[in-house]
Amino acid sequence: MTAEPDDSFHVFDTTLRDGAQREGINLTVADKLTIARHLDDFGVGFIEGGWPGANPRDTEFFARAAKELDLKHATLVAFGATRRAGAKAAEDPQVKALLESGAPVITLVAKSHDRHVELALRTTLEENLAMVGDTVSYLVSQGRRVFVDCEHFFDGYKANAAYATSVVRTAHDAGASVVVLCDTNGGMLPAQVQAVTGLVLADTGARLGIHAQDDTGCAVANTLAAVDAGATHVQCTANGYGERVGNSNLFPVVAALELKHGRRVLPEGALGEMTRISHAIAEVVNLPPSTHQPYVGVSAFAHKAGLHASAIKVDPDLYQHIDPERVGNTMRMLVSDMAGRASIELKGRELGIDLGEDRELVGRVVARVKERELKGYTYEAADASFALLLRSEINGGPQRFFRTESWRVITEDRPDGTHANEATVKMWAKGERIVATAEGNGPVNALDRALLSALERIYPKLAEFALVDYKVRILEGTSGTDSTTRVLITTTDGEAEWSTVGVADNVIAASWQALDDAYAYGLLRAGLDPQE
């Protein structure tokens, strides 16, 4: 069995609690269990599951997690608050709920800003310290490991450094394993975080952690600055999900720690799963993966400029800070009107088409791409259409499995307010003329069904194809209704996806082009020969 990273450094994930506070995220208990499994697969040390007792869904999560989760790397953590003012921790119902969750680790949120103590908790500074000490020591006496999140710590330190530090010292002296300095408002900058963390570490001797919000866009930098100052516990969320603009993003933090700091914080080999885990969690929360996210975004290692491509052809490291495979990502070459010869050659190689250092051929492709991009085509998002363009230039013309004679779509507006869409296509395939008609829930859907109806008998493989994404953009023109339209379509055969582009003066014609390319490329991908 591969040895786990030791306890000297903690990667603590709070996607299920703090990340779930992002606008637009609403996790079911099943969602939370699925995300927990992904995070455990990634190898984080701690997964904060939520606030049992305060939220029925979180109470249910811990009950189900005890039966359904078989965590291999992570320890489950329950989140809660210190006892109420004037009460005893042993008698506080919310503290009791934390114990009943069964979580072996408990994170307590504690006030460390004097104004928050007096205005929000409406108690004295002395009683707040007693609340922290009593709750921590009681939970420790019950066999729980306790982390303490010092809420608004950096703002509190700025206002009253002595009191904020006393909260850390009280938690540490009561038995907290880690005291976490929280930039709750997200307003700090890296130099401030590093300086304060270093001072608090020297003053208290406590083991410190960092929890950073991203309101200044510095959450990841602030987290790493705290580590530089001696923090050994980082709290993050997958893909940076969280309240307002989000939290410190788990993936760039652990990548920086492992690849830049040389600090092992994940099980061996786990970093190579990072891109997959990021995208899998995005699917669960039903948000598109961020294309430009560091390390794991599909554009993180995408190169468009011709100058970059020329250098990458010599050595990929010239324009990449790491090998993308180390984080489970891949390098991509983008083909656009900025493309040069090197971009075309590298993109062809990526698509499995060897241009054989044919300078004349590459020059023709460059010219063709630039010409078509002026008309509105875009190939950086339509690899399949670009592959067909390459094959057309190599073979002296398009190689098609079918030829379109004509198509038409009729949209009927009915008296009851509904619409009927009917498409007819006339095509030639393998020497046979085919006429097919189909209805759909829209004109493009009707065309798609008619095309499949016409060709499925001759090419049964088409039955496996499905359109999974459809985007329309109106390009420059004199007005919206008579402007050029660009359509991007993504198609799947159940194993892979590919994208195609169509451009025309109306949306249906542009859609037909993209559909035509989508099915032609899919048949090529399936290994069929258009000459047969």
Side-chain angles (χ1 to χ4, degrees):
M1 176 179 287
T2 302
E4 299 291 311
D6 62 33
D7 192 57
S8 64
F9 195 95
H10 295 168
V11 175
F12 181 109
D13 183 273
T14 180
T15 304
L16 303 184
R17 183 192 66 82
D18 222 357
Q21 294 175 186
R22 170 175 166 149
E23 183 178 6
I25 290 181
N26 185 23
L27 300 178
T28 65
V29 174
D31 291 336
K32 295 183 72 163
L33 291 167
T34 299
I35 292 171
R37 293 185 185 98
H38 286 312
L39 292 169
D40 183 54
D41 286 345
F42 188 47
V44 302
F46 298 90
I47 298 172
E48 191 171 66
W51 192 329
N55 182 324
R57 188 178 298 175
D58 288 353
T59 302
E60 181 186 349
F61 167 79
F62 282 97
R64 289 183 58 180
K67 301 174 183 177
E68 299 177 32
L69 286 184
D70 180 21
L71 301 178
K72 298 177 178 62
H73 306 291
T75 299
L76 206 58
V77 181
F79 177 88
T82 56
R83 67 156 171 85
R84 293 169 297 171
K88 294 182 179 178
E91 299 172 359
D92 189 295
Q94 196 271 317
V95 175
K96 182 180 179 182
L98 291 172
L99 291 171
E100 289 176 345
S101 73
V105 179
I106 293 170
T107 296
L108 293 173
V109 61
K111 298 292 186 185
S112 57
H113 191 313
D114 55 0
R115 290 186 69 245
H116 280 264
V117 172
E118 295 170 337
L119 298 179
L121 283 183
R122 298 183 180 180
T123 191
T124 65
L125 301 184
E126 293 75 16
E127 174 62 9
N128 181 56
L129 293 177
M131 291 159 63
V132 173
D134 182 23
T135 312
V136 172
S137 60
Y138 173 69
L139 290 172
V140 171
S141 74
Q142 298 301 303
R144 299 300 194 270
R145 189 175 190 182
V146 179
F147 302 152
V148 174
D149 284 359
C150 290
E151 190 181 33
H152 295 283
F153 181 83
F154 292 94
D155 293 315
Y157 191 90
K158 188 184 296 185
N160 185 339
Y163 185 74
T165 303
S166 72
V167 176
V168 175
R169 187 176 292 110
T170 298
H172 173 61
D173 291 346
S177 296
V178 180
V179 184
V180 182
L181 311 184
C182 301
D183 183 19
T184 309
N185 288 342
M188 294 295 111
L189 299 177
Q192 297 169 308
V193 169
Q194 185 168 1
V196 171
T197 302
L199 288 171
V200 174
L201 184 63
D203 286 347
T204 66
R207 180 175 183 179
L208 299 181
I210 178 69
H211 178 114
Q213 300 292 130
D214 202 32
D215 296 75
T216 60
C218 292
V220 170
N222 285 343
T223 300
L224 297 172
V227 171
D228 285 340
T232 57
H233 170 113
V234 293
Q235 294 194 357
C236 308
T237 63
N239 299 321
Y241 300 141
E243 198 162 18
R244 303 187 305 277
V245 299
N247 287 41
S248 183
N249 190 332
L250 171 69
F251 302 117
V253 167
V254 297
L257 289 170
E258 291 228 346
L259 301 177
K260 309 296 183 178
H261 285 234
R263 182 192 294 266
R264 185 171 166 228
V265 297
L266 297 174
E268 186 177 340
L271 197 66
E273 296 296 309
M274 192 162 80
T275 299
R276 179 184 66 80
I277 295 291
S278 167
H279 293 187
I281 292 174
E283 288 295 326
V284 177
V285 304
N286 199 28
L287 291 173
S290 172
T291 57
H292 290 76
Q293 187 177 166
Y295 294 99
V296 299
V298 297
S299 297
F301 302 95
H303 304 276
K304 184 172 182 178
L307 178 63
H308 288 208
S310 297
I312 285 170
K313 187 178 176 183
V314 177
D315 182 354
D317 290 344
L318 293 174
Y319 275 98
Q320 292 183 161
H321 68 110
I322 64 163
D323 179 351
E325 291 186 3
R326 298 186 72 181
V327 293
N329 210 337
T330 57
M331 183 181 77
R332 294 168 55 238
M333 299 306 302
L334 304 180
V335 176
S336 72
D337 58 358
M338 298 174 66
R341 292 177 178 273
S343 298
I344 299 299
E345 290 177 22
L346 289 169
K347 188 64 181 180
R349 196 177 304 161
E350 180 185 320
L351 294 171
I353 302 172
D354 186 4
L355 300 178
E357 301 290 337
D358 187 331
R359 293 185 59 81
E360 182 182 353
L361 171 60
V362 173
R364 289 202 314 269
V365 174
V366 170
R368 183 89 180 277
V369 167
K370 293 179 184 293
E371 172 196 345
R372 290 177 70 80
E373 293 241 347
L374 281 175
K375 295 178 180 178
Y377 289 84
T378 179
Y379 291 106
E380 63 183 68
D383 281 359
S385 287
F386 179 69
L388 293 174
L389 182 150
L390 276 184
R391 289 178 179 275
S392 176
E393 290 297 326
I394 291 170
N395 296 304
Q399 290 182 298
R400 291 294 191 183
F401 293 90
F402 48 86
R403 178 172 59 85
T404 304
E405 181 180 308
S406 66
W407 58 264
R408 70 177 179 182
V409 179
I410 300 171
T411 299
E412 179 183 358
D413 187 4
R414 293 172 173 167
D416 63 359
T418 62
H419 296 83
N421 301 278
E422 181 182 279
T424 300
V425 299
K426 299 177 182 179
M427 315 192 71
W428 289 85
K430 293 190 176 181
E432 180 181 344
R433 185 174 186 266
I434 308 162
V435 179
T437 300
E439 294 182 341
N441 57 18
V444 176
N445 181 243
L447 265 181
D448 186 25
R449 289 182 174 183
L451 178 58
L452 286 174
S453 176
L455 296 174
E456 271 185 354
R457 178 175 55 82
I458 296 176
Y459 299 113
K461 184 70 178 177
L462 290 175
E464 300 175 13
F465 296 179
L467 190 154
V468 293
D469 197 16
Y470 177 85
K471 296 184 178 75
V472 178
R473 182 172 179 182
I474 305 300
L475 305 179
E476 294 179 1
T478 56
S479 66
T481 55
D482 68 357
S483 298
T484 300
T485 302
R486 179 166 67 216
V487 169
L488 287 166
I489 284 177
T490 302
T491 306
T492 184
D493 59 3
E495 297 179 358
E497 295 182 355
W498 57 91
S499 296
T500 52
V501 61
V503 174
D505 56 6
N506 72 77
V507 66
I508 300 176
S511 300
W512 176 263
Q513 288 182 29
L515 284 170
D516 187 298
D517 272 8
Y519 291 119
Y521 180 82
L523 292 171
L524 280 171
R525 185 181 179 279
L528 300 183
D529 186 348
Q531 304 303 319
E532 292 179 355

